[in-house]
Each structure stands twice: as structure tokens, then as C-alpha cells.
Amino acid sequence: MSCAWKNHNCRIGLIVGTGSNACYVERVENCDLFDGPKAGPNIKKHVLINTEWGAFGDDGALDFVRTEYDREIDQHSINPGRQLQEKMISGMYMGELARLAIVRFTKAGLLFGGVGSDILFKRGQFFTKYVSEIESDKPGTYYNCREVLEELGLEHATDEDCANVRYICECVSSRAAHLVSAGIAALINKMDETSVTVGVDGSVYRFHPKFHDLMVQKIRQFVKPHISFDLMLSEDGSGRGAALVAAVACREAQ
């Protein structure tokens, strides 16, 4: 709503932050469960659909791409077996996914000479912001990465260790961006309009240095050739968007 107020071509809303979800504009005639009137001179032609896509995969549809790290994340979560796609995408879990991979390779002797730290081995101590900070380093430099590793008690890390930690972070964040992009591309293709703007909010999208570019590249790969799209950063979606919805509701009531 916040983006649509500025850009009337905005037809999809996306959040990639602590959690992840998307909504889109659908034609009323396609909504079998819509219980409002579907015909008449003053009837709205479209309705907003909340996909609740964080729960995609709860039926096993994502089992073929879930890893041992995903399963461990789910096992130790407050809602095992639920919100499985969200656990592969969102900021609540991204750092922990990277930590689990780093821990496995450390214990296998492939990182840090096989010597970890108490902080590294403690669940939840590799924050998602670390992923963004590490990937913000210029290629071949490891200033941010070394700062993160020092905070984790890994002062003995070599340049090769830093390069490998960065690669792990890139794998985790790229997978998240690609999963989000596949969902957005599916919505764009379903709507089948010539041009669509996607309003995006959330800390992962906002602060990760490559998330936007990764999404643009992957969405372009998936959408139909005749459809153009763009991603628009939402500003104060929770505040401005809620205010706009309240204003429209008041107008309709009057």
C-alpha cells in the first residue's frame, strides 16, 4: 500500500525481514473463496490475496531442496514442521543456517584448522547481520569478515578461512534470494500483466548488499519475456500503509 500510493503500477507486496510473506492483486472471478458480490456496476474487479507463503513446503513440497541445516533449524524452532519456506529465507534464520555450515566444516577440520570457539558453537550467536557485513567486503578483502570472526573468538582465522566463510554466507543468502524470486516470478506470471512493480520491505532486502541484484537477475530468468517488472523499496510500510488502508476504509464506510 505504501508503494502503490506513489506508484500505481505496484501490484505485489513483499517482505523479506525477520519473516517473509507476499501479497498480490487478483481478479475477483479467480477467487473461488471470495464471499463478496462478484457482479454489478459498482463491484470491485480485484481483491488482495495474502499468500502466507512462509508456510509453503509444510506439506512436503520443499523436501527435495531442504538440507540437513534446514532440518536442524526446524527441529530447534518454536514451531517444528511449520513455516518451512520462511525458515529457508528470512532474517530470523539466515545467520543460524550459515553458523551450522561453518560449525560442520570446522569440526571436519576444513575451517580454522579444526579449532572453533565457544561462541561459534553456541546456537544463535552468528547473527544475520554478520552475513550482510561479510558480503559487504570488497573482493579479496576481509576487513568486515575478520571483525566478525574476532567477535566470535576466531582470531586465528586465515585469509583462506575468511574466503570460505564468505562463500558459505553467499550460498545461504543467494539461495534465499532465489527462493523469494521464484515465488515473485510465479505471481507475476499468474497475473500476466505487461508491467508490474513489486513493493519490497524488510531488513534482509534493505541491508544485504546483493539481495536486490540477485532478485532482479533471477526474476528476469523466470518471468515471461513480454512482462517487465521493477522492485521498489517500501518506505514506512507499516505506518504509511496502515494509514492508507484506514483512510480508504473510512471513505468506503461513509
Side-chain angles (χ1 to χ4, degrees):
M1 292 301 299
S2 177
C3 290
W5 175 66
K6 289 185 176 181
N7 182 341
H8 293 177
N9 200 40
C10 184
R11 293 291 184 270
I12 298 176
L14 168 68
I15 185 163
V16 191
T18 303
S20 181
N21 195 12
C23 64
Y24 75 106
V25 176
E26 180 60 272
R27 296 176 181 85
V28 171
E29 62 263 26
N30 293 335
C31 302
D32 294 338
L33 298 181
F34 181 64
D35 56 5
K38 296 185 178 182
N42 298 318
I43 299 303
K44 305 297 183 183
K45 296 182 179 180
H46 297 87
V47 65
L48 293 178
I49 299 294
N50 175 11
T51 67
E52 291 290 358
W53 78 7
F56 179 57
D58 291 6
D59 60 351
L62 288 177
D63 285 356
F64 74 106
V65 292
R66 293 178 69 223
T67 67
E68 62 185 270
Y69 313 117
D70 297 309
R71 292 184 174 87
E72 185 166 345
I73 288 278
D74 181 48
Q75 179 183 350
H76 290 97
S77 69
I78 61 173
N79 56 346
R82 300 176 61 188
Q83 300 296 111
L84 295 185
Q85 175 170 260
E86 185 170 79
K87 291 170 181 172
M88 302 171 74
I89 291 173
S90 71
M92 180 175 286
Y93 308 100
M94 188 181 292
E96 180 65 4
L97 283 167
R99 187 193 72 85
L100 290 172
I102 292 170
V103 166
R104 177 185 175 183
F105 296 130
T106 300
K107 290 183 176 180
L110 301 174
L111 279 174
F112 315 124
V115 180
S117 68
D118 291 341
I119 301 176
L120 175 65
F121 294 145
K122 186 176 181 180
R123 188 172 292 113
Q125 292 304 298
F126 194 97
F127 308 121
T128 295
K129 70 173 184 176
Y130 290 165
V131 176
S132 296
E133 290 170 358
I134 289 171
E135 292 193 54
S136 294
D137 277 328
K138 294 180 179 179
T141 65
Y142 307 108
Y143 177 78
N144 291 332
C145 186
R146 287 198 173 278
E147 280 201 339
V148 168
L149 294 180
E150 286 175 7
E151 288 184 33
L152 296 172
L154 299 166
E155 295 88 351
H156 57 287
T158 65
D159 281 356
E160 184 178 6
D161 290 327
C162 291
N164 288 328
V165 167
R166 177 179 178 132
Y167 179 69
I168 290 170
C169 292
E170 289 173 342
C171 289
V172 171
S173 62
S174 295
R175 185 186 71 159
H178 291 168
L179 285 170
V180 170
S181 301
I184 291 299
L187 294 179
I188 292 174
N189 287 335
K190 186 178 190 306
M191 295 168 68
D192 201 23
E193 299 185 7
T194 56
S195 178
V196 177
T197 295
V198 183
V200 193
D201 200 358
S203 55
V204 172
Y205 178 84
R206 187 180 294 268
F207 296 119
H208 189 279
K210 299 178 181 178
F211 214 86
H212 170 87
D213 292 341
L214 287 168
M215 284 189 62
V216 169
Q217 181 182 19
K218 189 58 64 173
I219 293 172
R220 182 69 274 165
Q221 180 181 340
F222 288 153
V223 297
K224 299 174 183 177
H226 69 277
I227 299 177
S228 65
F229 70 92
D230 66 296
L231 307 182
M232 177 181 180
L233 180 64
S234 173
E235 298 177 8
D236 190 24
S238 298
R240 181 181 295 163
L244 289 166
V245 170
V248 171
C250 288
R251 184 184 66 188
E252 293 294 319
Q254 293 173 359

